Amino acid sequence: MSILRDKAIVSGVGETIYSRESDKSQLALTLQASLNAIADAGLDPKDIDGVIPYAAGGIVAEDFITNFGLPNLRYSALTPMGGASPVAALQSAVMAVATGVANHVLIALGRSGVSGGKITNRLAEMPQMRLVAEFEMPIGTNAPAQFYAHMARRHMETFGTTSEQFAEVAMTCRRHAVLNERAMMRKPMSLEDHQNSRMIAEPFRLFDCSLEGAGAAAVVVSRATFANDCRNLPVFISGVAEGHPNSPSAITQRQDLTRLGLADAAPIAFEMAGVSHADIDVAEIYDCFTYMVLCQLEDMGFCAKGEGGEFVSNGRIGLGGELPINTHGGLLSEAHVAGMNHIVELVRQLRGACGERQVDGAECGLVTGFGDLGDGAIAIMHR
Amino acid sequence: MSETYEELPAKPQPQIAPGNEPYWQALREHRLVIQRCANCKQLRHYPRPMCDACYSMEFDWQELPARGHVHSWTVTHHPFHPGFKRDVPYVTVTVDLESGIRLQTPLLGVKDHLALGTLVDLEFIDVEGGATIPCARIAPD
């Protein structure tokens, strides 16, 4: 199980600015973030010999060959798991460098701005949404907020979880975003602000939902033997795994609505890394909706199923708390680049490079991805 | 007032996969049928080519009683698809049939007292475009 432990590092991270709209194309944003990550690693673009673009983004490996003039791309892959794609891509990249197939794998993701009503059409065309398109979209279940609302409502009714507990996640992310000059949302959020925000799909209010916007982020995964040659502090990937719930194709058809693919992935990653929950100093948790954070905390075993609402309360997940999460503000308050920004933030935290929002003494942390109808991925890293 | 006369885009129609026509045809006849493995008799939904218990690709269709219990629900306030702009707020429920099969349906009528386990009856509503949709209504006491 530990054959991949510490065989790879994140050698470089990069981002563009995050904004609501951009006059740059998705490809241009993606290339810019990639250049930044490659420079951060101390590499030249022509050193990249592996590429994992975002499966749902319309950018392909060919775009990187063409624009960087890559002479020797030896590995390309897609990890089509929605918001779990970037962390699942880490697993694929680690396998590629650990086996010697590639030396430096670039994982990059960009988004080109507020998509408006088009998202429902795009979702309807996705093959992993085929059953939802046949059986649920015709009755008005057309978007992720609605898909996941059934999971959140089930959790609330079964375990007594409350909207105020969802608010703890939103307010924590916002408090962290206030300290992050890159974050799109930096106005403090009170409980009243959250409770007064308009209802989207019950139980989700507007402030339970992540942002939309434009921007890109990228990371470079390199063979561990490159650790001494990095421009910046290397961060080792010690455990990584992906998990798929059954049914993966319709939340309605899943036995337990409150359990995600991450529940299967997390024990693998912890065992691979050889660490326990108490070793985790900081966690960047995929937060497309507030509820998903407390569900993932349960699925990873930080608390029992049903106790997530209580777990996120009383400052436990804020800076200075027992388990600081989403120190950049997350998808809820920094930007929505499908969680690639969560990987970037974890690496910066473990480098000790986060300034005001730095978790004191952060040596080991984790990042999760959640996507499509329940896919999950997790990576555990250390400095 | 212009809102009242605005042409809304059509609601999405079921994208019926090859092999699933008997399900939709039964609904048009106001009957609920569910796919059943012809070999091991296990019911399965949503329909698919293979039984995940015995890998048989032979199946038939079993008619089930149109009654179930609420497993979860949401009330949509934001019309993500513009075809539902005049329907908001509307309720959709996840329903457990007694056979263990699950459906997601619109909820008709009042939503007061909606809770896990609430007993609902299914009704069959013919919608624009020629399809029939199973819908839930809270059963009378």
Side-chain angles (χ1 to χ4, degrees):
Chain A
M1 223 55 245
S2 60
I3 192 165
L4 296 177
R5 184 198 294 178
D6 294 341
K7 293 294 194 300
I9 56 170
V10 178
S11 55
V13 298
E15 294 164 287
T16 64
I17 59 159
Y18 297 126
S19 55
R20 193 145 170 85
E21 304 276 3
S22 172
D23 55 7
K24 297 195 176 64
S25 71
Q26 181 191 18
L27 178 56
L29 291 166
T30 304
L31 293 170
Q32 183 59 58
S34 300
L35 270 185
N36 295 347
I38 293 164
D40 186 64
L43 293 167
D44 182 88
K46 289 184 173 50
D47 295 325
I48 296 298
D49 56 6
V51 169
I52 307 178
Y54 183 43
I59 308 287
V60 293
E62 285 83 342
D63 290 313
F64 295 91
I65 299 173
T66 302
N67 286 281
F68 291 149
L70 297 182
N72 190 22
L73 190 76
R74 295 188 286 177
Y75 179 70
S76 69
L78 294 175
T79 51
M81 294 169 61
S85 300
V87 180
L90 287 178
Q91 175 179 250
S92 183
V94 169
M95 288 162 64
V97 300
T99 52
V101 171
N103 295 303
H104 303 289
V105 179
L106 172 69
I107 307 171
L109 184 154
R111 290 191 148 184
S112 58
V114 178
S115 56
K118 285 181 297 188
I119 185 172
T120 57
N121 294 335
R122 211 170 64 229
L123 284 171
E125 297 300 318
M126 293 166 75
Q128 63 270 47
M129 298 286 164
R130 197 187 299 132
L131 291 171
V132 172
E134 179 167 355
F135 293 95
E136 299 181 6
M137 290 184 180
I139 68 165
T141 301
N142 307 100
Q146 299 167 300
F147 305 159
Y148 308 155
H150 289 258
M151 301 196 280
R153 174 58 68 189
R154 178 79 190 173
H155 197 282
M156 295 172 92
E157 297 296 316
T158 305
F159 302 115
T161 312
T162 64
S163 175
E164 287 79 3
Q165 292 170 330
F166 294 170
E168 289 285 346
V169 174
M171 293 188 296
T172 300
C173 285
R174 184 62 59 88
R175 274 196 291 275
H176 297 168
V178 169
L179 303 175
N180 174 10
E181 61 188 17
R182 312 182 56 81
M184 288 171 64
M185 304 294 279
R186 302 191 66 196
K187 184 170 165 256
M189 181 197 297
S190 67
L191 180 60
E192 289 68 34
D193 293 336
H194 176 274
Q195 293 291 299
N196 290 334
S197 67
R198 74 185 164 94
M199 200 58 90
I200 301 296
E202 294 182 29
F204 297 140
R205 301 172 184 281
L206 182 65
F207 286 176
D208 291 306
C209 303
S210 48
L211 306 169
E212 285 192 77
V219 303
V220 179
V221 174
S222 301
R223 206 176 300 167
T225 49
F226 182 64
N228 294 328
D229 301 313
C230 291
R231 176 167 294 160
N232 289 294
L233 195 67
V235 169
F236 288 80
I237 301 172
S238 52
V240 63
E242 67 180 57
H244 303 260
N246 193 5
S247 165
S249 310
I251 290 162
T252 307
Q253 303 305 338
R254 194 167 309 147
Q255 196 62 35
D256 184 352
L257 261 56
T258 65
R259 189 180 190 274
L260 306 170
L262 181 63
D264 296 316
I268 297 171
F270 274 99
E271 189 193 338
M272 189 185 297
V275 301
S276 71
H277 294 76
D279 296 319
I280 302 298
D281 300 315
V282 55
E284 313 298 352
I285 300 177
Y286 199 85
D287 55 336
C288 49
F289 297 91
T290 50
Y291 163 74
M292 304 317 309
V293 171
L294 59 89
C295 183
Q296 289 175 88
L297 285 165
E298 295 168 352
D299 284 342
M300 286 189 285
F302 282 98
C303 58
K305 181 54 67 183
E307 293 176 358
E310 183 123 356
F311 186 89
V312 300
S313 303
N314 301 318
R316 184 184 271 123
I317 60 171
L319 280 168
E322 187 184 313
L323 182 70
I325 69 151
N326 300 6
T327 44
H328 51 334
L331 307 180
L332 289 162
S333 280
E334 188 195 47
H336 195 329
V337 279
M340 192 67 85
N341 49 332
H342 290 49
I343 303 175
V344 170
E345 176 70 5
L346 178 60
V347 170
R348 289 197 179 128
Q349 284 285 345
L350 296 175
R351 285 177 178 175
C354 285
E356 267 195 290
R357 63 178 198 279
Q358 178 65 44
V359 174
D360 286 340
E363 293 190 351
C364 179
L366 67 79
V367 56
T368 74
F370 163 79
D372 285 346
L373 297 164
D375 296 340
I378 174 173
I380 298 173
M381 303 189 200
H382 66 88
R383 58 190 302 173
Chain B
M1 289 304 286
S2 62
E3 181 78 7
T4 311
Y5 299 102
E6 185 189 356
E7 278 286 330
L8 296 185
K11 291 175 181 173
Q13 294 296 306
Q15 306 291 308
I16 301 176
N20 292 358
E21 184 54 40
Y23 173 82
W24 293 101
Q25 179 55 36
L27 289 179
R28 278 183 222 111
E29 298 160 8
H30 292 199
R31 296 184 302 123
L32 178 69
V33 302
I34 296 293
Q35 203 180 30
R36 183 179 65 174
C37 175
N39 181 49
C40 75
K41 310 299 181 191
Q42 181 166 287
L43 290 166
R44 60 180 192 252
H45 201 52
Y46 300 133
R48 50 187 176 267
M50 184 175 286
C51 173
D52 69 357
C54 74
Y55 317 126
S56 171
M57 293 173 74
E58 303 298 318
F59 55 83
D60 52 25
W61 300 87
Q62 172 79 17
E63 185 163 347
L64 294 183
R67 173 162 268 213
H69 297 270
V70 170
H71 189 87
S72 193
W73 71 91
T74 185
V75 185
T76 294
H77 294 257
H78 179 79
F80 287 98
H81 190 289
F84 291 90
K85 203 170 168 183
R86 275 199 276 275
D87 295 0
V88 289
Y90 59 89
V91 186
T92 46
V93 289
T94 301
V95 177
D96 287 320
L97 304 184
E98 270 154 21
S99 53
I101 290 297
R102 283 225 197 102
L103 305 177
Q104 194 184 108
T105 75
L107 183 77
L108 305 174
V110 294
K111 67 176 168 69
D112 302 353
H113 314 302
L114 199 54
L116 299 194
T118 299
L119 187 65
V120 293
D121 291 316
L122 298 184
E123 299 178 14
F124 301 93
I125 304 295
D126 304 324
V127 298
E128 271 177 57
T132 301
I133 302 286
C135 298
R137 187 188 295 276
I138 295 178
D141 289 333

